[in-house]
Amino acid sequence: MPELPEMATYKTLLNQQIGGKTITGVTINREKSINLGSDNFKNKIKNQQVEMIERKAKYLLFHLKNGDVLLLHLMLGGWMFYGKAEQKPDRTVQIQLEFGDQYLYFIGLRLGYLHLLSRKEVGQGLTDLGPEPLNVNFSLESFLDLIKNKRGRIKTTLVDQAFLSGIGNRYSDEIAWHAQLLPERKVNDLDHREKAQLYQSIRFILSQAIENGGYMDQPLFEGDIKTGGYHKHMYVYDREAKACKRCGSLIIKADISSRKTFFCTNCQY
Ligand SMILES: [Zn+2]
């Protein structure tokens, strides 16, 4: 599932591609992916200008000129492509937004969705989210305060959206590896140095992943060389039985709270 760095990359690229552009047409092939009747949904967004695109946690918010918001969550398997009709990937498209002769295709929306909401409804719907880990106000002190009463494992705590926004299965493993902490460790067993390291690693890994374009394996548009650049930088995720990039031992894969987890037992403690 795309996480904070993937959605941040989409946000940057989509602002460049469709920021300020007007939606000239809408096609809905899967009604379950939207929250209104198809005709109603289309009528409400057609001829609306996309003022800008914002990211919150793993969501993208397409702010429309009339104050409404298209709220996107890609969930598992969802992705997007922007281009002309002849460039469309050979995949089933659930929703497409038309911008003149270019289209934004939403693909793989099985659990994912695009909901049309008022700004107020979006605000009310996203109240359960924890702080944004890359926010300038998210200091070490605020992190220490946040985990003070936490008792779960590092893995399950990091992916808890009410604790911190935007981290999922992949980056939780990357962060634990970078912090040299075993993902099964209990947060309340960490000493001060380990907690401070965990904080540094959260910031470092997410920033590095954004800088490198995240891990999505499909480009957003033809000629997009940004998206997916983090793939080759992955330290542990999906690297079972490969050499640890720090110590050379083989990476282990195990289930932690029924989540696929990758780590190195030789240099994570
Ligand atoms: Zn190692």
Side-chain angles (χ1 to χ4, degrees), residues 35 68 116-126:
N35 60 328
D68 285 346
L116 181 64
L117 302 165
S118 68
R119 206 164 285 179
K120 196 175 160 200
E121 287 169 326
V122 171
Q124 288 164 343
L126 303 184

Side-chain angles (χ1 to χ4, degrees), residues 139-156:
S139 61
L140 173 60
E141 288 67 35
S142 50
F143 177 70
L144 293 175
D145 196 45
L146 200 64
I147 57 168
K148 202 166 54 188
N149 300 315
K150 277 277 167 189
R151 314 187 64 84
R153 299 179 191 283
I154 291 174
K155 175 78 178 182
T156 45

Side-chain angles (χ1 to χ4, degrees), residues 177 243-251 263-268:
W177 181 89
C244 170
K245 292 188 179 179
R246 187 166 42 221
C247 75
S249 294
L250 300 187
I251 299 296
F263 50 93
C264 175
T265 49
N266 191 50
C267 67
Q268 287 175 254

Side-chain angles (χ1 to χ4, degrees), residues 11 24 51 53 59 70-71 74 76-77 86 99-100 122 149 152 157 160 165 168 171-172 203 210 213 222 241 246 264:
K11 182 203 81 171
T24 51
E51 284 200 312
I53 296 131
Y59 298 89
L70 283 167
L71 179 72
L74 289 171
L76 197 63
E86 62 266 28
F99 298 87
V122 171
N149 300 315
T157 303
D160 175 5
S165 278
Y171 291 106
S172 54
R203 306 260 290 189
I210 291 174
E222 268 188 19
R246 187 166 42 221
C264 175

